[in-house]
Amino acid sequence: MGTRTRRTLGAALVAAAALFAPGAWAEEPRVTCTATLSGRRVLARSEAFSFLSAELDRLVRLGMAGKLEVELTLWKRRALWFNTRVDGARLTQVIAFTREGYMLDGRPLPEGPATLELDRVAWTLEARPEDGERLIVQVEVKLNVVTAASLGRMASWLSRTEGTGETDRSALTGTLLRTVAEDLSQRASGRCDVAPPT
């Protein structure tokens, strides 16, 4: 085997090892939900998975709180036409790291932040759905650990410019801060059918 062949083989092995290194196949954030119908009441439960990337986890462990913005929408499925929005709900939950470990709205997360069981949402329908009528729940979750405003306050503090507010920044600076804040956020969406009563 020649020197060139050995180098090529070595480079291929290094590339293959990098592919299988921890974090190379990091799991994408995802959301699941289950919804049930009981009479006129719809109850939706949702969970968020893998929302704390390594960078966001480091920021939360350093003391920054993560804000989970959860939006749930109840839809009535319509054949051959757009679905009809029945109702919706918005929730904000906070994930933080304390001496006791991770907390979600003050509830301990003994298994860590990999799986976040979000608050349940209940809707009461005006009338009981007819036979064959299908309802769907759409869930959208966004995690922000750092916001553009908090980055701006930190930049002002670092540059020692006292008294400069949000309005004193140029449009370019504001766009840059929003871009960095978006890079430090995660989002995912999911949907589920509302199960009829058994």
Side-chain angles (χ1 to χ4, degrees):
M1 187 182 300
T3 306
R4 185 172 184 189
T5 305
R6 277 184 277 170
R7 284 186 185 156
T8 304
L9 182 59
L13 287 172
V14 169
L19 286 175
F20 294 106
W25 292 95
E27 192 175 341
E28 290 291 317
R30 63 187 173 87
V31 177
T32 63
C33 73
T34 57
T36 55
L37 175 67
S38 177
R40 295 186 308 130
R41 186 176 165 89
V42 175
L43 180 65
R45 295 179 179 91
S46 52
E47 291 182 318
F49 300 92
S50 304
F51 262 75
L52 279 183
S53 65
E55 183 61 28
L56 292 178
D57 183 52
R58 189 175 69 80
L59 291 172
V60 170
R61 284 178 173 270
L62 286 172
M64 299 190 84
K67 185 171 73 169
L68 278 165
E69 296 172 0
V70 184
E71 184 174 356
L72 294 100
T73 310
L74 180 63
W75 298 90
K76 184 190 300 183
R77 184 172 283 243
R78 296 176 61 190
L80 304 173
W81 198 245
F82 296 108
N83 295 337
T84 304
R85 186 180 187 277
V86 177
D87 208 341
R90 287 179 180 263
L91 308 169
T92 300
Q93 295 188 259
V94 176
I95 184 168
F97 187 78
T98 65
R99 290 180 186 168
E100 291 79 34
Y102 285 97
M103 308 285 266
L104 182 62
D105 275 353
R107 288 181 290 134
L109 298 172
E111 303 297 319
T115 302
L116 303 173
E117 188 176 318
L118 306 173
D119 283 344
R120 294 180 287 181
V121 172
W123 295 286
T124 302
L125 305 173
E126 292 180 9
R128 190 175 179 152
E130 299 174 9
D131 290 341
E133 197 170 61
R134 290 184 55 204
L135 297 171
I136 303 166
V137 175
Q138 174 79 31
V139 183
E140 296 185 21
V141 180
K142 181 178 180 183
L143 171 67
N144 286 313
V145 175
V146 179
T147 64
S150 64
L151 283 174
R153 285 192 296 273
M154 185 169 34
S156 296
W157 179 77
L158 289 173
S159 61
R160 306 263 193 259
T161 54
E162 304 262 337
T164 59
E166 193 82 23
T167 56
D168 295 338
R169 280 195 229 113
S170 69
L172 178 62
T173 305
T175 303
L176 178 63
L177 292 175
R178 279 191 297 279
T179 303
V180 172
E182 282 297 315
D183 284 345
L184 294 173
S185 67
Q186 297 274 27
R187 68 176 63 223
S189 62
R191 62 171 33 190
C192 58
D193 291 325
V194 176
T198 53

